[in-house]
Amino acid sequence: MEFLNETFSGFTAMSHWEYIAVALSVAYLLLAIKESLWCWPAAFVSTFIYTVMYWNGALLMESLLNFYYMYMAVYGWVVWRRGMNNKDHLPIISWSLKRHAVILLATSLASVAIGFVMTNYTHADFAYLDSFTTCFAVVTTYLVAKKVLENWLYWIVIDAASMYLYFEKGYYPTLVLFVFYTIMAAWGFKTWYEEYEQHQAKPLAQL
């Protein structure tokens, strides 16, 4: 009962700005799955709100990540819009397993290094987990902008890891959002994969 009371209090205590950010984040995800250009304006506004919220909550890497998201929202808009001008839309592509292995290794090393710095030289909470989700989200957001199919697989892991972080910080609306994100990322991969097969007429990239 005490847990339920604390959870309910966490929801009711949240600023209305967080609920706005959650709603816009859901809109971004649904529009991204549908390959709609308008996913990027929704992303820009929601990440601006989260940039401020996470900074105030001492999740410094998450705050910096969302500042990066704001930039990538502009970049994604430009890239997708340019693709729409050149043809029907920017095509979905697939990267090789070797290329993804390099990404995983390099990003993991960067996560550990940044986590060490944040642990020893800042007041950040959950520094290593925060760094892990941040570093991989930076890379994965670029994959979204380039329409790399496998971005959704990265998001499944990132979103699942983020749920623990937001639970511990008491960001309950955002926790629910990330549960939804994890499920929708699986749907996003299925949707993009079906379109990739249809337009490319070939299986996923091999080693």
Side-chain angles (χ1 to χ4, degrees):
M1 180 64 69
E2 182 179 352
F3 170 76
L4 293 177
N5 288 334
E6 289 179 358
T7 302
F8 179 75
S9 297
F11 275 100
T12 57
M14 291 298 103
S15 165
H16 65 280
W17 287 109
E18 184 177 358
Y19 287 104
I20 293 173
V22 167
L24 289 171
S25 296
V26 171
Y28 158 75
L29 180 60
L30 294 175
L31 290 169
I33 291 174
K34 295 297 184 181
E35 300 179 69
S36 170
L37 181 65
W38 294 99
C39 69
W40 299 111
F44 183 89
V45 178
S46 66
T47 53
F48 172 78
I49 296 171
Y50 277 125
T51 297
V52 177
M53 187 182 79
Y54 290 143
W55 184 267
N56 291 337
L59 292 178
L60 306 187
M61 291 301 294
E62 291 293 317
S63 180
L64 292 174
L65 171 62
N66 276 270
F67 185 79
Y68 165 78
Y69 282 164
M70 291 170 60
Y71 164 78
M72 289 304 296
V74 176
Y75 176 78
W77 170 275
V78 172
V79 172
W80 284 28
R81 186 175 181 83
R82 184 182 301 135
M84 293 176 65
N85 290 336
N86 293 337
K87 54 186 77 174
D88 289 338
H89 57 78
L90 189 69
I92 295 171
I93 61 175
S94 175
W95 284 357
S96 69
L97 293 179
K98 285 184 177 180
R99 193 169 186 178
H100 286 295
V102 172
I103 291 173
L104 290 172
L105 177 60
T107 309
S108 296
L109 291 175
S111 300
V112 172
I114 294 174
F116 176 83
V117 173
M118 299 296 286
T119 296
N120 292 280
Y121 300 103
T122 76
H123 65 287
D125 292 335
F126 305 100
Y128 283 101
L129 179 58
D130 194 9
S131 297
F132 169 84
T133 58
T134 298
C135 290
F136 274 94
V138 165
V139 173
T140 307
T141 302
Y142 177 78
L143 301 188
V144 177
K146 290 295 185 180
K147 282 198 173 179
V148 177
L149 172 64
E150 293 81 12
N151 86 84
W152 297 109
L153 301 179
Y154 284 80
W155 283 127
I156 290 172
V157 177
I158 295 167
D159 295 341
S162 297
M163 286 190 286
Y164 173 78
L165 188 63
Y166 299 136
F167 175 78
E168 290 295 323
K169 294 299 294 184
Y171 296 148
Y172 297 117
T174 303
L175 169 62
V176 173
L177 172 65
F178 272 72
V179 173
F180 174 76
Y181 265 9
T182 305
I183 297 171
M184 295 303 291
W187 180 44
F189 178 78
K190 177 179 180 295
T191 302
W192 280 31
Y193 177 67
E194 290 172 350
E195 180 172 336
Y196 174 83
E197 279 196 317
Q198 180 181 352
H199 288 83
Q200 301 295 327
K202 61 182 179 179
L204 294 181
Q206 301 297 319
L207 284 172

